[in-house]
Amino acid sequence: MADYGVLKTLHVIGAVLLVGNVTVTGVWALLMYRARAEVPFRPVARAILWTDLLTLSGGAMLTITGILMIRQARLPWLEMPWLLWGISALVASTLVWLVMLLPDQVRMARPDAVIAIGHDRQLAAIFASAPVGMITVTRSDCTAVPA
């Protein structure tokens, strides 16, 4: 088994990749929505999907190294509330991403997506369909409202 220090380093790198990419994706989405008249929409949406591979790799690294560290240290993880809360938060955020955000991201990146200048209502509806999107639409001086 790998040295505990190496696992811990990889665990921190995984956390940075996961949290950093989630933050950057939110910023990209906000900037893309605000500049929707000047910036081609689909290429940016596709780039966000590709960067989600970093989110996935960071989350996988975080999970795998976490499990290995727990096993190596022989921690009674079921008796440690802080660890259970952390695991629960990771599972919940992964489910929200898979069930709510990823389908909308894929829909926005599709070549047949009817998202162009003049279709602000459809774009606002896609953004507003997820909790993060609601914040993005609200904070981007959007005048369009979901149908």
Side-chain angles (χ1 to χ4, degrees):
M1 217 180 244
D3 178 54
Y4 191 82
V6 172
L7 290 175
K8 194 173 191 178
T9 302
L10 292 173
H11 192 71
V12 170
I13 291 170
V16 169
L17 283 172
L18 179 69
V19 174
N21 192 51
V22 167
T23 304
V24 168
T25 299
V27 171
W28 278 21
L30 175 62
L31 293 175
M32 176 180 62
Y33 187 79
R34 285 186 146 188
R36 64 193 175 276
E38 298 89 27
V39 176
F41 184 82
R42 282 192 325 232
V44 177
R46 281 191 211 120
I48 289 173
L49 273 174
W50 277 106
T51 59
D52 277 349
L53 292 175
L54 287 175
T55 303
L56 184 62
S57 64
M61 190 183 308
L62 188 69
T63 304
I64 292 166
T65 56
I67 291 168
L68 291 174
M69 287 190 304
I70 287 171
R71 291 185 66 187
Q72 195 172 57
R74 292 184 168 82
L75 292 174
W77 63 277
L78 289 173
E79 300 168 12
M80 304 175 85
W82 65 271
L83 198 48
L84 287 174
W85 279 106
I87 292 168
S88 299
L90 184 61
V91 167
S93 63
T94 301
L95 289 174
V96 165
W97 177 65
L98 288 172
V99 173
M100 295 177 71
L101 298 176
L102 190 59
D104 280 340
Q105 288 176 300
V106 169
R107 192 171 0 142
M108 286 189 284
R110 277 195 332 234
D112 62 337
V114 187
I115 300 169
I117 303 168
H119 293 91
D120 283 346
R121 290 179 64 83
Q122 291 171 338
L123 184 57
I126 291 174
F127 266 80
S129 66
V132 173
M134 286 183 231
I135 295 166
T136 304
V137 170
T138 313
R139 294 186 180 256
S140 66
D141 304 321
C142 173
T143 55
V145 219

